[in-house]
Amino acid sequence: MTLKRCVVWLLLLSLLLSLAGCASSGTDDGQPKAAQWVPTPEPSVNAPPAPVLGGVETDRKVVSLIFEGYTDSSTVTAIADVLKQRGVSATFFVSGITANENPEVVRDLVRRGFDIGSYGMSGGKHLEELSAYENMRRFELAQREIQAACGKAPELIRCNGTVYTEDVLRAVSAAGLKAAVEPTAYLNHKSFRTQEDAGTYALNILRGSIISVKLGQELDREEFDDPGEKLDERPAIDPGPGIRWEWSTEDARYVLLPDIVAWLVDALLESGYSFTDPVSLQAERHTVMPRLRELDPAEQSLLDPANYALPVTDEPLRSGEVRAAAPGSFNGVVFVGDSVMAGLGAYVEWQRQQTPGFLDNARFLTDDTLTVETLLDGETGIGDLGSRLKEMNAQSVWLCLSFANRGAFRRPAYLVKYRMLIRQIREQNPDIRIVVLSVLPKLDAHTGIPNGSRFSLNLMLCGMCREYELPFVDIASAVRDDQGALREDYCLDTAGRGCHLNDAGCEAVVAFIMENYPV
């Protein structure tokens, strides 16, 4: 009898034993009473809840890499080879069934120095729907099977697709496990198709992440890095030379998994990342910027994109009081941004030829490849932003920064990186004033990040500025139409990218910041 069938019979037997036996007694007329099944309450689980280890906020380039589930012995061994060759640590979360049926693979992972975690008895989902007692028994059974396979019981558990309720965490602790793990990013066999895909992912990954590679599994909706966009449903990408996509067997679909892991690890190593285990990762926690206040309910409602039918607001978003700019207000100001900001800088220089002192002595620091991520990593033509601003003796910096890739990370990660960049600037320029500008819209008919996403991002930026008491200037409101798109009469490249401003658009932005100067 296979282990799976044994487990089923054990569970059925436990259900029967948890019910009281048939009690029969006489009735008033002396006839025997019909048998009744009376349920016996399960024993309570009184252990303290185990802690949950998740990603941490840190400015160091460090991540944890974990693997959930199982495919086949050759694929898992090939993945282990990739990691070992590169000196990368990782934790493999295996189920009790996997350990029982593939003990030699689990032993080999331990022999190579990889950590083994528990994936429960079968890697099943929604364990929060079971009682604490039932989960504890399943976790204990998994512990025994894994220890029998590799000689060591796991200390960490990853509960697949499960909400870590207090009952679940009590069961984790009662089963002898020290902590549960909650990844911050998920990948599977469909996530990358080229080394370039992995490079883009590495550029955007949030420092301090726990990256989970799910073996032999599809990703749930909430596990996709960009909510609402399923990686599995993306348009097909032509595979590179030598890559075949015609899978003839069920297991052949995982043939690229070792390559995907190699691409991911190589991209992260090239970007300067180191790897550690989920426990050690917690020691890397470092608050990038202390939050100065919480948003009140009215602010939360204002900044909730669900409250808007269209990506527009009735009034410009603000984080504080504004006034008309006084003469000299832009002396010492440096505007930082990409090619869109470069166009604004060219417009200001053109105006200065006719009106000396236009926008005071404001300067522009731009690069076509400039995003929050590339600036944070110093991978632009301007180098280290904090150093450049110090060299320029900047008194104030106005940041208009987009992001590199929509599908590579969740938008909240963009805000964490934004705060990291602000801290870097302040470390070298303690007295500098930092102003955050909204991301500009584009023509609706053009490709790229849609205006709805840009609008949501601006709501989040405004919320960040309110929480951290930073000035926020909503220049997007000066150039968009009533549908939330860039006004066509303000667009320079209607036949191109549909995001650059012509003279009229630049004039509208300058007029807006002159009338809405943050106090």
Side-chain angles (χ1 to χ4, degrees), residues 295-311:
L295 299 180
D296 61 40
E299 291 175 301
Q300 293 176 11
S301 178
L302 174 67
L303 300 174
D304 185 352
N307 291 332
Y308 296 89
L310 293 171

Side-chain angles (χ1 to χ4, degrees), residues 396-464:
S396 179
V397 57
W398 292 45
L399 303 170
C400 186
L401 305 176
S402 186
F403 48 97
N405 183 277
R406 172 182 59 180
F409 66 106
R410 298 181 188 273
R411 286 190 293 272
Y414 164 87
L415 300 186
V416 176
K417 292 194 172 189
Y418 216 126
R419 296 199 302 273
M420 289 181 184
L421 179 63
I422 289 172
R423 196 184 82 166
Q424 281 189 3
I425 294 171
R426 284 177 170 169
E427 285 177 345
Q428 299 183 64
N429 305 270
D431 299 323
I432 199 169
R433 187 189 194 207
I434 298 174
V435 179
V436 176
L437 300 174
S438 61
V439 175
L440 290 172
K442 65 177 183 61
L443 293 183
D444 249 346
H446 287 64
T447 59
I449 311 302
N451 284 319
S453 295
R454 292 168 182 260
F455 177 71
S456 295
L457 185 62
N458 285 334
L459 294 175
M460 294 172 62
L461 280 173
C462 183
M464 178 191 77

Side-chain angles (χ1 to χ4, degrees), residues 125-310:
K125 299 182 178 182
H126 306 301
L127 301 185
E128 73 276 7
E129 298 176 359
L130 302 177
S131 69
Y133 180 73
E134 184 59 37
N135 275 327
M136 179 192 71
R137 296 190 62 206
R138 294 183 181 205
F139 296 160
E140 287 177 337
L141 182 57
Q143 290 288 87
R144 291 196 293 269
E145 293 297 338
I146 297 171
Q147 184 168 20
C150 65
K152 182 180 179 182
E155 296 184 346
L156 303 180
I157 189 170
R158 167 66 191 142
C159 298
N160 186 20
T162 293
V163 177
Y164 285 129
T165 62
E166 184 170 307
D167 274 351
V168 171
L169 296 176
R170 287 186 186 280
V172 169
S173 180
L177 291 142
K178 291 186 176 180
V181 174
E182 184 69 81
T184 50
Y186 298 86
L187 303 171
N188 72 351
H189 55 284
K190 298 181 181 179
S191 295
F192 303 145
R193 295 188 181 181
T194 66
Q195 177 72 64
E196 184 179 1
D197 288 346
T200 300
Y201 183 88
L203 176 65
N204 292 297
I205 192 66
L206 184 60
R207 302 175 188 197
S209 292
I210 297 180
I211 305 172
S212 168
V213 180
K214 304 197 77 171
L215 302 178
Q217 303 176 70
E218 302 296 329
L219 299 185
D220 294 334
R221 181 179 181 85
E222 61 271 14
E223 293 172 344
F224 288 106
D225 287 328
D226 188 26
E229 179 186 12
K230 292 189 176 182
L231 296 179
D232 293 344
E233 295 176 356
R234 291 184 301 178
I237 303 173
D238 290 336
I243 297 178
R244 295 182 58 83
W245 293 96
E246 298 81 5
W247 299 312
S248 56
T249 67
E250 186 71 13
D251 288 339
R253 74 175 70 179
Y254 307 123
V255 67
L256 278 186
L257 260 172
D259 288 331
I260 288 171
V261 173
W263 294 336
L264 170 66
V265 169
D266 288 345
L268 288 170
L269 289 173
E270 186 176 347
S271 295
Y273 278 89
S274 61
F275 295 80
T276 190
D277 61 89
V279 174
S280 300
L281 183 67
Q282 308 307 303
E284 301 288 346
R285 188 183 306 274
H286 184 276
T287 301
V288 175
M289 281 174 58
R291 182 181 283 105
L292 300 179
R293 72 179 188 87
E294 299 291 336
L295 299 180
D296 61 40
E299 291 175 301
Q300 293 176 11
S301 178
L302 174 67
L303 300 174
D304 185 352
N307 291 332
Y308 296 89
L310 293 171

Side-chain angles (χ1 to χ4, degrees), residues 84 106-114:
K84 199 66 179 176
V106 180
R107 282 195 297 270
D108 183 62
L109 290 173
V110 172
R111 181 183 60 79
R112 291 168 179 252
F114 297 108

